[in-house]
Amino acid sequence: WGGMDYDNNKSGFDPINGITLESKIHNKEGGVMKTNGGELLTMSAKAVLSESKQEGLVVAFLPRNIDGISFTRVAVTSDIKGSIELEQNVVNGKVKTVTAYLGPCVHRYLTGEEKK
C-alpha cells in the first residue's frame, strides 16, 4: 500500500494483484513461492471458518481505496459463507482504512450478541 501513486488509481486497490506474499522454499532448488491476495483469503477462510458449526470470522485490514466490489467477488470465489461487512475507519473526517469482516458470525460479532 501507499507510495506516490496511492490515490491516483481510479479503479481502487486490487485485492488480488495488490497483495503478494513471497515465501522462500527451503529445498535444493531454493525457489520462491508467490501467493496473491485471493489465495491468501481462501487459505484464511479454510483455516478459520468451521462449516460444521457455522462459526468463525475472517477479518482483513485493507487500504482506504479498496475496490469493494472486487473484494466481495474474491470473497465469494474463496467460498466464504455468511455475510461480508466493509467498515470504513475514519479519523478527523477522512477515511483512512477499511476493515472487512467475513463469515457466518459477522452480525453477532458486530452487534455484540452472544451465541444462544
Side-chain angles (χ1 to χ4, degrees), residues 41 58-62 71 98-102:
L41 189 59
V58 174
V59 180
F61 191 66
L62 303 164
F71 183 78
V98 173
T99 304
Y101 302 91
L102 308 105

